[in-house]
Every structure is written in C-alpha cells, then in structure tokens.
Amino acid sequence: MFKGGLYCKRNAYRLCRHKSSFATALAAASRLVTPKIMLSNPVSLVSNEMNTLAKNIMALIGSGHPTLNRVTSYYFEAEGKKVRPLLVLLLSRALAAIPLNQRDHVKVDSEDVPEDPVYSKPPHMLLFEQPVRNFSPLHVLHGIKPLNPLTKGPEPLPQATFDQERGILPKQRRLAEIVEMIHTASLLHDDVIDHSDTRRGRPSGNIAFTNKMAVLGGDFLLGRATVSISRLRNPEVVELMSNSIANLVEGEFMQLKNTAVDGDPTTIQFGKKELPPLSGKLDNKVHEYHVPVKYEANITHDQMIETAFEYYLHKSYLKTAALISKSSRAAAILSGARENVIDQCYEFGKNLGICFQLVDDMLDFTVAGKDLGKPAGADLKLGIATAPVLYAWKEDPSLGPLIRRNFSQPGDVERAAGAVAKYDSVSKTRSLAQDYRDKALSNLRAALPESDARSALEFLTNSILTRRK
C-alpha cells in the first residue's frame, strides 16, 4: 500500500462507522417493511434465479471448441458479486407489483415482422412470451452440421420459470443473464488492458490463459450476448442493450485519453505516441452527447476542476452506470410499464451506477488488494485520476502537472496518495456517492409501489456505501 494508505484506511473505517441521520432513519424504516431474512440477504427474494444464473448462461455461450468454452466460463466459476443481474431480477419483481391494468406500454414493432403471429396477440399476452430459441437455421448460425450437443443452440427457459407469485417474466430473467455476460466480457477485456494479475481472488483470465485468448473470449461472450438480446424480440430493448456495449468502449477510451486534462488531440499514451494524420477522406465528427472540454490557456483552476469532474462523471456513467441504467430501463420496458416508470427506472440505474463507481474509486485507496480480490492502488499506477484525486487537486493546484503526465514520474503516485489523505478526499468522495445514493432511492419510490422487492432494492442501494469489495 502506498504512502498515506494507513491514514486512509483508518479514516475510511471511521467513515464506515458513521451514518447520517437520513441513513439511520432509512435503515429503521426498512426494518419495518422488510422480512428479517432479507435484511441480511436481499438475494433471498430471487434465490431461484440467482442460483441457476451461471448454469443458464452456460447454455447460452457454449461453443464447438473446448478451450474457448474454458476461457468463457472461467469468471463464471468464481463467486463474484453478481450485482447487475441481482438488480435486474429484484427490479423485475418490484415492477410485478404494478397492476397489469397499469402496465399497458408494451414496446414491440409489428411493422418489422407483419406476418409473425406473436405480434397478433393482445399486449398483455406478449409480456409472458418466452425468448425465442433462434430465428435462423442452426446450421447457418453455427456453420456446421451438428457434431455434438453444443451445436444445438440454447434451450428456451422452462415455462416454470415464471409464476404469478414471483412475477419475474421469462424475458426479464434472460435479460439478467445477458447483463452478466456483457459485464463478464468487459472484465476479461479490462484485465488485459490493465495488465491485471488477479480477479476474484485467483489469477485473471489473461494470466490463466493468454492475452489473446482472454480478448477473444470476451469478444465471443459479447457475440453470444447480442444473439440473446435479439431473441428478446423487443426493438427498444435490443437497441438499449446493444448500445450499452458501445458505451463501455467509449468509457474506456475516455479513460485512456483524458481530453479534459490533455489538450493535445494528436497524441496518445501520455503524449509518447503520435496519432496518424487525418486523411481528410472521411468526416467522422464527435456526436453532440459528449462533455465539452476547455483548452483555453487562461482557464481558471476552478473551471478546470469543474470540467475534470464533469468528464470523470460522464466516463463513470459510460463505463459502469450505462449497463445498469439501460438494463433497468429494459426490465421496465419488458414489464409493459408506462413511460414515467420506465424513465424513473433508468434514472435509478444511472444514479446507482455512478454511486457504485464512486465507492469503487474510494476502495482503491482504503482497502487492501487481498480484500478487494484485485490489486489495490491500481488506478494511480495506471495513471488514472479518480474522484479522490480530483478533490485533492482542487485544494492543491500543484497536482495538475502530475495528473497531466498520468503519474508517470518517480514519486508521483506517492505524492498524489499523500494529497488524497491530507485533504480528506475519501470522505468528500463518500459524500458525493451519498448524494447519488439518495437520488437512486428517490427514483425507486417514484417508480414503484411498496413491496418486499422494493425494500430489498432500497437495502441494496444503501449497502453499496459500506461494501468492502
């Protein structure tokens, strides 16, 4: 642990023990409406679905090559947090508490498949449709006549996976599996990009196999995920979930080349490598949904900090919150909920996702690697300025050059870590995370009626601030 780590650990411990009056009141209220078992384990409400999650995913990702199967299943073997599918399943149960006569906003596009009998059914019947097995012939999808059971294609979910009491629709269950596939693919890619050695307490995919196999395994998972997305037969959900993959990539690029602090658009790798000159043959403009960056020489320190924070939060959304927010919105769409509920579910996922990333960035300063399940202090060593560093930079302008050169010189990492401790930046980051937590709780209450599932979501949302891995 770098210098200042001990201070940060003690400080974080004190912060974990401290709860605001709002959080205390919320915890007390939760106990009044939450079954006792759920207070310690929100998974209990969706235990059937979570227990079979990995098994169902294996049916979706099987290939004809045993080594590829080994790579793609590697991270599913470990006991990960599985927060993203858990959120989708709990949200799906909470949405089921909305009466069917208030869920009349089924998103389908019958214009695309006018002769398909599925779309001739009443809207409410469409909610209970299973994901289809496949559209194209299997010999076309796999490129070979069946040689072994893996070429059959995934089995549809058993009809028993939906019952009126639990309320999780077959397509919502498949959505939870898709979300975990996309997330796991991003982990395989991230560990290669970040040169990670460990993940979930054991060798990372790139170490256990090779960089090339880890990248290809992640690509294969994304390919299988997009196939499963298409089989949900909902155009908006297909668009949302496919775009969440693009969001992940764009967020990584924002991290690799931080244009908020690096005003040179002609170089990458911390200024060490020049980009090829533009040919002028194509006009590939940046779309309007991006963070405006100020390159003026006379920009004030406060303006620079404001821009850096805006950039950081947008990057955090794309890298972490986009998949959570879009899958939350997709779960609401598949439930047939009305537009205001769909919008609130999206905002819930967005605010929760940013809160999750803020806490993740705090843990990089406060928790040892053996507890995290991955290397601690990795962000600074990778040249990444997260919220704790930005708060320290606000107080100490001399950190600016270190951030611009991505902590690449000897002593930069230690100096930045010391500044984080000196200016109590971890507690400031925690306060920002609490703001996003509170917004997420408000979104839940605006979107969903009272239920055990909503209480579980509230409990889970609060618990993010006290997680240790």
Side-chain angles (χ1 to χ4, degrees):
M1 183 70 70
F2 39 70
K3 186 178 179 181
L6 181 60
Y7 173 90
C8 286
K9 277 187 178 179
R10 289 173 177 167
N11 191 42
Y13 178 70
R14 288 196 297 270
L15 287 167
C16 285
R17 292 180 61 190
H18 173 72
K19 291 185 178 181
S20 68
S21 57
F22 172 81
T24 303
L26 183 64
S30 295
R31 284 178 170 80
L32 293 174
V33 298
T34 306
K36 198 169 188 178
I37 185 173
M38 203 176 67
L39 286 170
S40 58
N41 185 16
V43 179
S44 61
L45 281 178
V46 290
S47 57
N48 290 348
E49 291 77 10
M50 291 298 292
N51 288 338
T52 57
L53 183 79
K55 180 182 176 181
N56 289 341
I57 290 174
M58 291 304 102
L60 297 173
I61 65 175
S63 80
H65 197 289
T67 307
L68 177 55
N69 283 347
R70 187 75 185 89
V71 176
T72 54
S73 64
Y74 184 65
Y75 281 170
F76 293 110
E77 294 170 352
E79 288 297 322
K81 296 185 289 290
K82 296 183 176 63
V83 171
R84 292 155 187 82
L86 175 60
L87 286 169
V88 170
L89 293 168
L90 284 175
L91 184 60
S92 298
R93 279 208 68 172
L95 286 159
I98 300 174
L100 277 177
N101 61 8
Q102 295 176 29
R103 289 190 278 153
D104 52 9
H105 206 65
V106 182
K107 293 290 188 83
V108 294
D109 189 354
S110 58
E111 296 292 323
D112 288 344
V113 278
E115 298 178 3
D116 193 325
V118 169
Y119 295 102
S120 64
K121 296 180 180 180
H124 284 152
M125 290 299 296
L126 295 175
L127 297 178
F128 305 99
E129 285 291 328
Q130 297 270 357
V132 296
R133 184 192 294 258
N134 54 278
F135 295 105
S136 303
L138 290 175
H139 74 274
V140 172
L141 292 177
H142 294 285
I144 192 171
K145 291 183 178 180
L147 297 176
N148 59 59
L150 292 174
T151 61
K152 289 182 179 179
E155 294 294 324
L157 289 167
Q159 191 65 39
T161 57
F162 172 77
D163 63 78
Q164 198 67 37
E165 182 181 352
R166 296 179 70 80
I168 299 174
L169 302 168
K171 290 184 180 181
Q172 291 172 325
R173 180 170 181 172
R174 181 53 46 83
L175 174 66
E177 295 157 5
I178 290 168
V179 168
E180 187 65 3
M181 289 164 66
I182 294 172
H183 173 61
T184 302
S186 75
L187 296 183
L188 281 165
H189 288 162
D190 282 352
D191 287 343
V192 173
I193 294 168
D194 298 339
H195 309 289
S196 297
D197 295 328
T198 59
R199 168 72 65 179
R200 294 174 179 171
R202 64 178 187 163
S204 55
N206 49 307
I207 298 298
F209 303 98
T210 63
N211 278 349
K212 190 168 186 176
M213 284 189 174
V215 170
L216 291 173
D219 291 345
F220 187 81
L221 276 176
L222 291 177
R224 281 285 193 255
T226 54
V227 169
S228 297
I229 292 168
S230 70
R231 290 171 175 167
L232 295 178
R233 310 183 97 167
N234 186 298
E236 187 173 0
V237 170
V238 170
E239 181 179 61
L240 282 167
M241 298 311 300
S242 300
N243 198 57
S244 71
I245 299 172
N247 290 150
L248 285 168
V249 176
E250 191 171 358
E252 281 293 340
F253 263 82
M254 288 183 74
Q255 184 163 285
L256 286 168
K257 173 71 173 180
N258 189 334
T259 54
V261 297
D262 182 357
D264 184 358
T266 65
T267 64
I268 54 176
Q269 293 184 348
F270 317 143
K272 297 175 184 177
K273 183 177 178 64
E274 289 191 6
L275 292 174
L278 288 169
S279 66
K281 294 180 180 179
L282 300 173
D283 185 17
N284 192 1
K285 294 182 179 178
V286 176
H287 63 64
E288 59 183 301
Y289 291 94
H290 68 278
V291 178
V293 179
K294 302 167 184 173
Y295 294 129
E296 298 86 357
N298 61 348
I299 185 173
T300 68
H301 179 64
D302 287 345
Q303 288 174 322
M304 176 60 78
I305 296 297
E306 181 182 351
T307 301
F309 259 106
E310 188 179 356
Y311 187 95
Y312 163 79
L313 289 171
H314 188 61
K315 179 204 72 175
S316 298
Y317 168 75
L318 292 172
K319 279 195 62 181
T320 303
L323 182 58
I324 297 173
S325 64
K326 287 180 169 62
S327 60
S328 297
R329 183 177 179 89
I333 291 167
L334 292 174
S335 78
R338 293 172 179 170
E339 201 66 43
N340 64 313
V341 174
I342 292 171
D343 289 343
Q344 289 289 349
C345 287
Y346 169 79
E347 291 296 326
F348 161 73
K350 179 179 179 180
N351 290 320
L352 182 76
I354 293 176
C355 174
F356 193 92
Q357 185 60 54
L358 286 164
V359 172
D360 214 47
D361 293 341
M362 289 192 312
L363 294 179
D364 200 52
F365 286 89
T366 61
V367 177
K370 62 181 179 63
D371 297 321
L372 276 176
K374 57 184 179 180
D379 290 336
L380 284 178
K381 295 170 187 174
L382 290 170
I384 302 168
T386 55
V389 177
L390 295 180
Y391 275 118
W393 184 24
K394 185 176 182 179
E395 301 297 330
D396 183 0
S398 70
L399 292 178
L402 281 68
I403 293 170
R404 292 187 185 93
R405 63 177 179 249
N406 305 99
F407 315 109
S408 57
Q409 293 186 10
D412 283 356
V413 169
E414 291 76 13
R415 184 179 165 192
V420 167
K422 179 179 178 181
Y423 296 109
D424 202 17
S425 297
V426 168
S427 65
K428 292 173 183 175
T429 304
R430 174 174 290 277
S431 179
L432 183 60
Q434 287 173 336
D435 290 341
Y436 279 97
R437 184 273 314 269
D438 294 347
K439 291 176 185 177
L441 290 171
S442 296
N443 296 137
L444 283 176
R445 290 160 189 159
L448 304 168
E450 289 187 15
S451 67
D452 285 349
R454 195 188 83 174
S455 296
L457 284 167
E458 292 172 354
F459 180 82
L460 195 62
T461 300
N462 276 295
S463 70
I464 286 174
L465 286 170
T466 55
R467 70 186 180 93
R468 302 289 291 170
K469 59 173 68 176

